[in-house]
């Protein structure tokens, strides 16, 4: 089944404790991206990647890192999480302009 | 950056009624898409309409695009309780899609 898989789906952590949210897609898509969704603000792009070893900042990249060592994986790294990074995070891959989203990762930073 | 603005923010209707949601955007586009999101879940692509198209249908969905007014509408006909979700328009920008803040649709049985 074609899908985008994110892990973990839910996470509660504390300020400053590094964490990684993994994202994997099995559709051989070149383009992948990360969004965060916050009430009243909609979806905002954090980072995106056009292909392996190519990553670029989106609209809200501060406090996040990404890597794209393989086509299928695009992990989101929070080196030192802060409470303002509490949010619902979505990974997506793209084909012919259409985005395919993962089920989301709800992150709470205390 | 440009952003789609959906209107209304929330809509409540009875099953069987039609639901219309509108989206306005700010700059020129190549295409506009609509996505659906069930509560807390990932977004699902519904339909894409290109800038040279004025109307597109997919099942009970009808999308219109007016590039002169920089607006689009999504019509869901004969709504069902299962249509309850948030609906987002998205416009293309260099290397990314820009999403609006969405319309929350509630369909009562």
């Amino acid at each position: 089944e074609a899908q985008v898989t994110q892990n973990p789906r839910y996470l509660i952590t504390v300020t400053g404790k590094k964490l990684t949210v993994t994202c994997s897609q099995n559709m051989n898509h070149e383009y992948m991206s990360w969004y965060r969704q916050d009430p009243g603000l909609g979806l905002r792009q954090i980072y995106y990647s056009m292909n392996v070893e190519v990553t670029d900042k989106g609209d809200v990249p501060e406090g996040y890192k990404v890597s794209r060592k393989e086509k299928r994986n695009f992990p989101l790294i929070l080196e030192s999480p802060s409470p303002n990074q509490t949010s619902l995070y979505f990974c997506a891959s793209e084909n012919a302009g259409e985005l395919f989203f993962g089920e989301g990762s709800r992150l709470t930073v205390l | 950056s440009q952003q789609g603005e959906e209107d209304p923010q929330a809509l409540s209707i009875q099953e069987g009624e039609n639901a219309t949601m509108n989206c306005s955007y700010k700059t020129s586009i190549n295409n506009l898409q609509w996505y659906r999101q069930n509560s807390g879940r990932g977004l699902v692509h519904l339909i894409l309409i290109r800038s040279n198209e004025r109307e597109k249908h997919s099942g009970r969905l009808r999308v219109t695009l007016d590039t002169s007014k920089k607006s689009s509408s999504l019509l869901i006909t004969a709504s069902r309780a299962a249509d309850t979700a948030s609906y987002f328009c998205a416009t293309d920008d260099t290397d990314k899609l820009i999403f609006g803040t969405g319309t929350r649709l509630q369909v009562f049985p």
Side-chain angles (χ1 to χ4, degrees), chain B residues 33-45:
Chain B
Q33 303 181 45
W34 285 90
Y35 286 79
R36 166 196 168 120
Q37 183 183 31
N38 287 3
S39 181
R41 306 289 296 274
L43 281 74
V44 175
H45 180 263

Side-chain angles (χ1 to χ4, degrees), chain B residues 18-36:
Chain B
N18 295 342
T20 299
M21 288 158 268
N22 302 297
C23 169
S24 60
Y25 56 91
K26 297 175 184 174
T27 62
S28 298
I29 60 171
N30 294 313
N31 63 69
L32 183 144
Q33 303 181 45
W34 285 90
Y35 286 79
R36 166 196 168 120

Side-chain angles (χ1 to χ4, degrees), chain B residues 62-100:
Chain B
R62 182 175 79 109
V63 169
T64 62
L65 179 64
D66 186 336
T67 53
S68 67
K69 295 181 179 178
K70 292 186 171 59
S71 67
S72 173
S73 68
L74 171 66
L75 168 66
I76 303 174
T77 60
S79 63
R80 306 166 182 168
D83 293 328
T84 293
S86 291
Y87 292 83
F88 296 85
C89 68
T91 51
D92 64 307
D93 193 0
T94 307
D95 297 333
K96 63 184 176 184
L97 287 182
I98 305 293
F99 287 84

Side-chain angles (χ1 to χ4, degrees), chain A residues 20-91:
Chain A
T20 299
V21 186
T22 64
C23 174
S24 180
Q25 52 97 2
N26 62 0
M27 296 169 279
N28 203 36
H29 292 164
E30 292 183 349
Y31 182 101
M32 297 184 73
S33 61
W34 276 100
Y35 289 84
R36 60 178 289 175
Q37 184 176 31
D38 302 287
L41 297 176
L43 279 91
R44 296 177 292 168
Q45 191 182 54
I46 303 170
Y47 267 95
Y48 65 97
S49 171
M50 300 288 283
N51 212 328
V52 176
E53 301 291 0
V54 180
T55 62
D56 280 291
K57 296 178 180 178
D59 295 319
V60 287
E62 294 78 21
Y64 305 94
K65 288 174 59 177
V66 292
S67 69
R68 189 86 183 276
K69 294 184 172 60
E70 314 160 89
K71 185 181 272 192
R72 65 183 292 122
N73 295 323
F74 190 44
L76 179 69
I77 303 155
L78 286 73
E79 293 273 3
S80 183
S82 61
N84 64 12
Q85 292 179 297
T86 292
S87 187
L88 179 58
Y89 291 87
F90 289 101
C91 179

